[in-house]
Amino acid sequence: MSEKPKVAFYWCSSCGGCEEAVVDLAEGILDVVAAADIVFWPVAMDFKKADVEAMEDGSILAAFVNGAIRTTEQEEMAHLLRRKAKVLVAFGSCAHQGGIPGLANLWDRQAIFESSYLTGPSTVNPEGTLPATALPHNGDVVTLPGFYDTVRALDQVTSVDYYIPGCAPTPNIIAGAVQTLLSGDLPPAGTVLAPDKALCEDCPRIDTKPQDLSIERFYRPYEILADESTCLLAQGLLCMGSGTRSGCSHLCINGNMPCSGCFGPTSKVRDHGGKYLSAIASLMSAMDEEAIQKALDTIPDPIGTFYRYGLAGSLLRRRKMTPVA
Ligand code: SF4
Ligand code: SF4
């Protein structure tokens, strides 16, 4: 019988990029397989939920769950894996903070169903059929998972031991985290397994970031041809490096794109979007209302900019919907 520790991977509400990120370990995945038995990984291997249910509680060393929690099934799986694993890891931005799916918290289930199944420009649904959680069919009942009003991060559903940040986590961060977990020398619970410093601190362009910036307006990446060696924020691009955790090897900066914050905040920051919004406000040169509004107009999607990966896990969590009269 195998003595190797057991690990599991599962995805909830996500794009699949985190699963790709595991595959991107390339030959590194062989190190994982050599060191551990993968006992559950629906995207790649034919295990069933019943296989996990049959395992003893706590018998999996680490379960890596990516994706936010949007449905009843995802919540059920999060609780099941929490019970079966000694260590539950929120893997990637969506499990960590709600991620891109968390932006759906600007609407509720009714609005999302209406747009997706009734009024969308490419939708043809003359009978107005909507998903139902139970449907009689040939004398039986067909069921679907329930769809919650609100998207939640993994730790808003169950307790989480560690977080691996990123959209998606980079191979170096994943490999380092797996090594740490398999070594048995575990950091304190709640640790984000990436450097606890801001991206700016080790950015190759930091020397060109002025101490005092006086920004009149912001640009979206397609509006200017950014210089490839100068700080992107100094060029008016909304680069979130000052409030974002390091560890991604500056992937976006090296591609001449501003950081959009996928690694989330450092441990010193409670609300990533709020912190960055306040930092940006202090850099703006506009003083009167008209000039301030003009500068703000250059940020067409403030929530999607400041809370792109973290709305669900933020202090705001979601928009309060106005009840229909
Ligand atoms: S703001 Fe962006 S480009 Fe400028 S130093 Fe920080 S991470 Fe680098
Ligand atoms: S630069 Fe920012 S958005 Fe890009 S991978 Fe790194 S943390 Fe994520």
Side-chain angles (χ1 to χ4, degrees), residues 3 17 34 64 66 77-78 112 114 135 182 187 189 192 194 214 249 267 309:
E3 294 296 321
F64 298 84
N66 74 75
M77 288 305 297
I112 292 167
E114 266 177 32
L135 190 74
L182 293 177
V192 178
S214 181
S249 309
S267 64
Y309 305 98

Side-chain angles (χ1 to χ4, degrees), residues 83-319:
R83 216 167 56 243
K84 300 297 174 184
K86 286 191 181 69
V87 170
L88 186 67
V89 182
F91 185 98
S93 297
C94 302
H96 180 198
Q97 300 191 290
I100 301 277
L103 287 172
N105 287 353
L106 295 172
W107 294 272
D108 61 8
R109 177 180 45 205
Q110 186 184 342
I112 292 167
F113 275 23
E114 266 177 32
S115 157
S116 300
Y117 297 104
L118 302 176
T119 60
S122 60
T123 302
V124 179
N125 182 7
E127 291 170 5
T129 306
L130 294 175
T133 50
L135 190 74
H137 182 72
N138 287 347
D140 210 337
V141 177
V142 181
T143 60
L144 274 179
F147 187 97
Y148 291 126
D149 261 338
T150 299
V151 171
R152 288 172 290 172
L154 187 61
D155 65 5
Q156 291 172 315
V157 170
T158 188
S159 61
V160 166
D161 298 295
Y162 301 111
Y163 303 84
I164 300 179
C167 181
T170 46
N172 60 325
I173 288 289
I174 300 172
V178 170
Q179 264 172 17
T180 300
L181 295 174
L182 293 177
S183 75
D185 187 13
L186 298 179
T191 298
V192 178
L193 301 174
D196 195 11
K197 61 179 175 182
L199 189 76
C200 277
E201 286 181 43
D202 51 15
C203 176
R205 305 190 190 198
I206 186 63
D207 291 342
T208 61
K209 183 178 177 188
Q211 288 290 333
D212 292 311
L213 279 167
S214 181
I215 297 177
E216 282 176 25
R217 58 154 297 170
F218 298 99
Y219 295 95
R220 301 182 80 188
Y222 72 87
E223 291 180 302
I224 59 168
L225 208 51
D227 180 80
E228 292 187 12
S229 52
T230 305
C231 170
L232 293 156
L233 186 61
Q235 299 181 64
L237 291 162
L238 275 164
C239 184
M240 291 185 70
S242 62
T244 299
R245 187 180 287 267
S246 184
C248 67
S249 309
H250 305 92
L251 285 179
C252 301
I253 312 300
N254 292 339
N256 211 23
M257 287 290 287
C259 171
S260 56
C262 81
F263 263 51
T266 63
S267 64
K268 296 179 193 73
V269 176
R270 167 64 185 88
D271 191 289
H272 195 197
K275 175 77 181 171
Y276 190 63
L277 183 58
S278 116
I280 284 298
S282 69
L283 298 176
M284 285 164 59
S285 60
M287 298 303 281
D288 61 84
E289 204 173 318
E290 194 185 335
I292 290 171
Q293 190 55 54
K294 218 170 148 196
L296 290 180
D297 286 345
T298 61
I299 309 174
D301 178 15
I303 295 276
T305 301
F306 299 112
Y307 289 94
R308 182 172 304 177
Y309 305 98
L311 179 61
S314 73
L315 293 172
L316 298 176
R317 289 202 175 190
R318 65 159 299 122
R319 175 177 163 209

